[in-house]
Amino acid sequence: MTKRGILIVISGPSGAGKGTICKELLKRNDCYLSVSATTRSPRAGEVHGENYFFLSKDEFLKKVEEKDFLEYAEVYGNYYGTPKSSVEEKLNMGHNVILEIDIQGALKVKENVQDGVFIFILPPSMEELKQRIIKRGSETEESLMLRFKSAYKEINYISKYNYAVVNDTVDNAVKKIEGILIAEKCRVDRIKEKILDSKEGLIHEQLYD
Ligand code: 5GP
């Protein structure tokens, strides 16, 4: 029987650097990043099906009705949702899947996926967070203020997560997440059936593959 992959939920305030960390994690590790659906307009350079599935509000709400999302949330006036079937398919094939989603979405996933790994990305400081959002340059003044105000509130939800990772440098943050994943793969509740089933003893490949 193929061992189910690990669902890794990465969230945290806008500007904490979740996107960059996820890209680097994908480069260095064998895992999938779930592509979300959104009703927000594409930013320059964003590609449909790669960065997001860009949908109209009607298309999105139809998918909500058809229960196509593992979770969905309204974030800064737009809808965002995680397609359920592709995530389930990858997990069942034994692949680790990363969701880079907002805090409301992460909390909904936590209700349904008890063995998920929930990681909160923190900026080194709030001032640094502000500078990162400004530097990104993709926001209007209004959206920038909204994102910054939300960041203050969102940090209060950190206690709902399993791990907190400060994004001081991308390399450090990615190394910490890789360490978390190694520890998660060793957790007895993930591998106990394999240990108990094993007639041959604790063979490395049997436990972790
Ligand atoms: P952005 O518009 O900057 O790409 O994303 C805005 C926020 O929406 C980010 O915090 C991002 O993590 C979150 N987000 C992206 N995809 C999803 C999703 O499928 N579900 C939820 N709940 N949030 C998402």
Side-chain angles (χ1 to χ4, degrees), residues 3-162:
K3 195 169 169 296
R4 196 171 147 84
I6 301 178
L7 183 68
I8 305 146
V9 179
I10 296 196
S11 56
S14 192
K18 293 166 287 178
T20 320
I21 290 173
C22 287
K23 268 192 216 125
E24 202 52 37
L25 265 174
L26 288 183
K27 265 196 228 160
R28 301 191 204 173
N29 298 274
D30 187 19
C31 45
Y32 284 90
L33 179 66
S34 162
V35 179
S36 298
T38 183
T39 58
R40 115 159 136 60
S41 313
R43 296 189 185 124
E46 284 186 330
V47 177
H48 180 81
E50 231 173 77
N51 303 90
Y52 283 105
F53 294 104
F54 295 99
L55 305 181
S56 68
K57 197 171 170 187
D58 284 350
E59 287 168 327
F60 191 99
L61 292 176
K62 188 161 177 274
K63 285 186 180 291
V64 171
E65 222 167 82
E66 289 167 353
K67 305 209 180 322
D68 282 352
F69 293 125
L70 180 62
E71 63 71 37
Y72 74 96
E74 194 179 341
V75 189
Y76 312 124
N78 292 300
Y79 286 111
Y80 294 80
T82 304
K84 189 158 53 184
S85 57
S86 57
V87 170
E88 274 302 314
E89 195 181 297
K90 295 280 185 326
L91 289 174
N92 288 336
M93 284 165 74
H95 300 299
N96 297 335
V97 178
I98 302 175
L99 305 186
E100 190 228 306
I101 60 178
D102 91 311
I103 288 155
Q104 309 166 68
L107 298 184
K108 283 185 208 158
V109 175
K110 201 163 178 230
E111 283 169 18
N112 301 316
V113 188
Q114 275 79 23
D115 63 351
V117 179
F118 295 82
I119 303 176
F120 195 98
I121 307 294
L122 284 163
S125 68
M126 292 312 278
E127 183 50 35
E128 175 67 24
L129 181 87
K130 194 173 184 181
Q131 291 311 320
R132 286 182 190 174
I133 301 177
I134 293 170
K135 242 190 242 161
R136 197 154 65 180
S138 58
E139 314 303 330
T140 60
E141 184 69 20
E142 194 190 349
S143 149
L144 199 150
M145 283 318 293
L146 185 63
R147 283 177 189 241
F148 192 58
K149 269 195 206 154
S150 304
Y152 268 98
K153 286 194 211 136
E154 286 170 349
I155 286 178
N156 293 325
Y157 286 96
I158 198 159
S159 58
K160 308 272 184 200
Y161 286 71
N162 305 119

Side-chain angles (χ1 to χ4, degrees), residues 1-4 94 185 187-209:
M1 197 181 79
T2 313
K3 195 169 169 296
R4 196 171 147 84
K185 283 185 192 170
R187 270 175 54 166
V188 170
D189 52 357
R190 286 193 195 281
I191 56 178
K192 67 175 180 251
E193 277 167 32
K194 286 215 166 192
I195 298 172
L196 297 175
D197 285 351
S198 171
K199 305 271 187 292
E200 306 293 322
L202 307 182
I203 299 167
H204 174 272
E205 282 75 14
Q206 279 188 317
L207 290 183
Y208 302 125
D209 282 0

